């Protein structure tokens, strides 16, 4: 019963009569079967060997009783079977039906799988080629080597001609032996190298060089999560699937009924698929050559494997990500230091603190005076008038403390305490507006 329910659910998905679904399977009808999953679901409707024996026995018994026979030309009712059972039996009587459906599923999946594999192959090839052509990478690695030799001067590691890439992941762990407190205590050797690289690149600006470097970084980022071994396995799987099709379609030259189009359609597909597969194979060969070149350059081993080359690309990507972060840390520290120096310089000016206190006190005095002589609403009137730009109307408001006899803002120029008085009145006006708007 469970098996019949599964078949019934599968058939309902297609919204086709059982007989029409059977004909579509023989004809490889892509209007009915639009995805490989559809075909594989139908394949799961095929009976097991024991189920097939039972279905055939029931059909023969019913056919003998009705006198109509148990052949596939008889209806489900004449064979004493339900529609689900009848479909399962009809599919099982098609020679090598499971293999047919596997090949049909490959046909439906093939273009998408090839496109995906080609995308991965191109991404890996681009990453390997871009790293080899990156003009910044050698300069950065040379800086790391120079710093390492300087640190190891006088020791047995001094004068090294190169280093293994695993050193790059350890740079952030090297800290000063006697770090200063605060921010400086979090500096590492990587921060020092990042600053050295920044100065070196900024000393000789080159937009073309920087663009090639950025492209290399982007190419490396794109291959994160792509495995060379997985890509190779996908390509090998596609190759085996095409070989299975090449082996299968000649077996069905004689059609199994009028609707059977397997041999003709699969032969046509195989010819087209072979050309696409050939292009993909050429792409894989180019990828392997690029990996070999990148592996030799990054590891120093002429016979570096694809796995070693892939690991080297990932190591370079991780290093540049860390270097970028260290560069950003340095920039943040530099800006913080500039702000602190400006603040210290401002505080060091004679009378700076006294002026600030005087301005605040004058603002408080003016605000208190205005609040005592004008009720709520005057500040809103002033504010609205200023927004309209009607300065003449502003001068007519009952706020003589803010305007001089000449109609100019009190405090401008030498009047009412000069520039200092004007600043205080601006602060006072802001306080009054804030208070008045808050009361509304």
């Amino acid at each position: 019963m469970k098996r019949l329910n599964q078949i019934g659910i599968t058939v309902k998905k297609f919204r086709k009569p059982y007989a029409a679904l059977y004909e579509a399977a023989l004809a490889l009808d892509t209007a009915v079967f639009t995805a490989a999953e559809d075909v594989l679901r139908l394949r799961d409707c095929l009976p097991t060997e024991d189920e097939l024996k039972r279905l055939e026995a029931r059909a023969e018994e019913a056919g003998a009783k009705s006198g109509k026979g148990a052949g596939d030309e008889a209806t489900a009712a004449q064979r004493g079977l339900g529609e689900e059972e009848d479909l399962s039996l009809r599919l099982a009587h098609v020679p090598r039906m499971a293999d047919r459906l596997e090949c049909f599923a490959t046909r439906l999946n093939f273009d998408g799988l090839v496109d995906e594999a080609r995308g991965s192959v191109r991404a890996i090839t681009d990453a390997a080629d871009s790293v080899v052509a990156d003009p910044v990478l050698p300069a950065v690695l040379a800086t790391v080597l120079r710093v390492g030799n300087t640190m190891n001067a006088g020791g047995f590691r001094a004068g090294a001609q190169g280093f293994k890439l695993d050193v790059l992941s350890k740079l952030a762990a090297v800290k000063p032996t006697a770090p200063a407190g605060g921010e400086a205590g979090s500096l590492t050797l990587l921060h020092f190298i990042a600053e050295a690289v920044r100065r070196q690149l900024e000393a000789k600006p080159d937009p073309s060089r920087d663009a090639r470097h950025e492209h290399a970084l982007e190419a490396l980022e794109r291959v994160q999560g792509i495995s060379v071994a997985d890509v190779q396995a996908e390509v090998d799987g596609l190759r085996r699937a095409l070989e299975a099709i090449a082996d299968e379609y000649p077996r069905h030259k004689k059609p199994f009924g009028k609707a059977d189009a397997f041999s003709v359609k699969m032969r046509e597909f195989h010819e087209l698929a072979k050309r696409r597969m050939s292009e993909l194979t050429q792409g894989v060969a180019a990828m392997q050559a690029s990996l070999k070149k990148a592996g030799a350059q990054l590891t120093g081993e002429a016979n570096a494997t694809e796995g070693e080359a892939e690991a080297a690309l990932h190591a370079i990507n991780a290093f540049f990500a860390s270097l970028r972060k260290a560069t950003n840390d340095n920039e943040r520290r530099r800006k913080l230091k500039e702000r602190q120096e400006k603040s210290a310089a401002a505080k060091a000016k004679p009378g700076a603190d006294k002026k600030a206190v005087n301005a605040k006190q004058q603002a408080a005095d003016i605000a208190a005076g205005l609040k005592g002589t004008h009720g709520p609403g005057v500040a809103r009137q002033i504010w609205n008038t200023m927004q309209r730009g009607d300065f003449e109307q502003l001068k007519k408001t009952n706020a003589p403390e803010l305007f001089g006899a000449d109609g100019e803002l009190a405090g401008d120029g030498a009047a009412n305490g000069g520039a200092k008085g004007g600043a205080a009145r601006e602060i006072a006006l802001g306080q009054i507006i804030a208070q008045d708007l808050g009361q509304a």
Side-chain angles (χ1 to χ4, degrees), residues 122-153:
R122 287 174 177 174
I124 294 172
T125 304
D126 186 34
D129 291 343
S130 298
V131 167
V132 170
D134 182 10
V136 173
L137 177 60
V140 174
L141 297 181
T143 299
V144 174
L145 179 62
R146 186 166 59 253
V147 170
N149 280 333
T150 300
M151 293 177 64
N152 294 325

Side-chain angles (χ1 to χ4, degrees), residues 228-245:
V228 174
D230 288 346
V231 172
Q232 189 64 61
E234 291 173 7
V235 174
D236 290 342
L238 288 168
R239 186 181 295 110
R240 288 192 298 270
L242 279 188
E243 291 172 354
I245 290 174

Side-chain angles (χ1 to χ4, degrees), residues 76-94:
Q78 291 170 345
R79 299 202 289 186
L81 301 174
E83 288 189 313
E84 296 87 354
E85 295 171 317
D86 186 62
L87 175 63
S88 183
L89 183 58
R90 287 177 183 276
L91 292 173
H93 283 169
V94 179

Side-chain angles (χ1 to χ4, degrees), residues 132-191:
V132 170
D134 182 10
V136 173
L137 177 60
V140 174
L141 297 181
T143 299
V144 174
L145 179 62
R146 186 166 59 253
V147 170
N149 280 333
T150 300
M151 293 177 64
N152 294 325
F156 69 95
R157 290 191 178 92
Q161 299 300 307
F163 57 88
K164 293 186 178 297
L165 291 179
D166 61 353
V167 169
L168 298 176
S169 63
K170 302 174 182 178
L171 297 176
V174 180
K175 298 183 178 181
T177 54
E183 282 283 320
S186 61
L187 290 174
T188 68
L189 182 58
L190 185 62
H191 290 91

Side-chain angles (χ1 to χ4, degrees), residues 25-339:
L26 285 178
L28 306 186
D29 190 344
T30 54
V32 176
F33 300 97
T34 58
E37 292 77 10
D38 298 337
V39 176
L40 297 179
R41 271 194 288 266
L42 186 65
R43 182 198 60 186
D44 293 339
C45 294
L46 290 169
T48 64
E49 187 174 343
D50 289 340
E51 289 172 341
L52 178 59
K53 289 179 180 179
R54 288 196 296 270
L55 289 173
E56 288 177 337
R58 286 175 55 194
E60 289 175 3
E61 182 180 352
K65 288 181 179 180
S66 65
K68 299 295 184 178
D72 288 333
E73 67 280 358
T75 64
Q78 291 170 345
R79 299 202 289 186
L81 301 174
E83 288 189 313
E84 296 87 354
E85 295 171 317
D86 186 62
L87 175 63
S88 183
L89 183 58
R90 287 177 183 276
L91 292 173
H93 283 169
V94 179
R96 300 176 62 85
M97 190 58 177
D99 297 293
R100 282 176 173 240
L101 294 176
E102 286 282 356
C103 292
F104 189 18
T106 296
R107 177 188 173 188
L108 293 173
N109 251 353
F110 186 78
D111 285 342
L113 292 175
V114 168
D115 289 342
E116 183 179 348
R118 287 181 65 184
S120 297
V121 167
R122 287 174 177 174
I124 294 172
T125 304
D126 186 34
D129 291 343
S130 298
V131 167
V132 170
D134 182 10
V136 173
L137 177 60
V140 174
L141 297 181
T143 299
V144 174
L145 179 62
R146 186 166 59 253
V147 170
N149 280 333
T150 300
M151 293 177 64
N152 294 325
F156 69 95
R157 290 191 178 92
Q161 299 300 307
F163 57 88
K164 293 186 178 297
L165 291 179
D166 61 353
V167 169
L168 298 176
S169 63
K170 302 174 182 178
L171 297 176
V174 180
K175 298 183 178 181
T177 54
E183 282 283 320
S186 61
L187 290 174
T188 68
L189 182 58
L190 185 62
H191 290 91
F192 176 81
I193 291 173
E195 181 63 15
V197 170
R198 183 189 69 81
R199 292 180 180 180
Q200 183 179 357
L201 296 179
E202 289 184 354
K204 296 181 179 179
D206 186 342
S208 175
R209 173 202 64 198
D210 295 342
R212 290 163 64 189
H213 178 56
E214 285 300 319
H215 175 76
L217 296 183
E218 292 170 359
L220 283 171
E221 192 61 34
R222 282 194 293 270
V223 298
Q224 298 307 301
I226 300 178
S227 165
V228 174
D230 288 346
V231 172
Q232 189 64 61
E234 291 173 7
V235 174
D236 290 342
L238 288 168
R239 186 181 295 110
R240 288 192 298 270
L242 279 188
E243 291 172 354
I245 290 174
D247 177 68
E248 190 64 31
Y249 77 78
R251 298 172 183 266
H252 304 276
K253 289 181 179 180
K254 184 179 179 180
F256 186 79
K258 294 181 180 180
D260 186 6
F262 181 84
S263 181
V264 173
K265 289 187 175 180
M266 293 309 296
R267 181 176 66 250
E268 293 174 353
F269 165 73
H270 185 256
E271 291 301 317
L272 294 174
K274 279 197 305 183
R275 289 196 287 271
R276 293 210 69 192
M277 195 67 205
S278 176
E279 295 172 357
L280 178 59
T281 301
Q282 292 174 8
V284 170
M287 176 190 75
Q288 293 170 334
S290 295
L291 283 172
K292 183 177 182 180
K293 187 175 181 180
Q297 177 171 310
L298 295 174
T299 67
E301 300 291 339
N303 296 320
T305 65
E306 291 179 5
E308 291 171 336
E310 181 181 22
L313 293 179
H314 289 314
I316 294 297
N317 180 69
F319 168 66
F320 273 111
S322 299
L323 190 68
R324 188 181 302 113
K325 182 179 182 301
T327 300
N328 292 337
D329 289 344
N330 290 341
E331 182 65 18
R332 180 177 58 82
R333 288 188 177 93
R334 186 159 45 249
K335 290 182 178 179
L336 177 61
K337 184 178 179 181
E338 290 176 358
R339 289 197 299 270

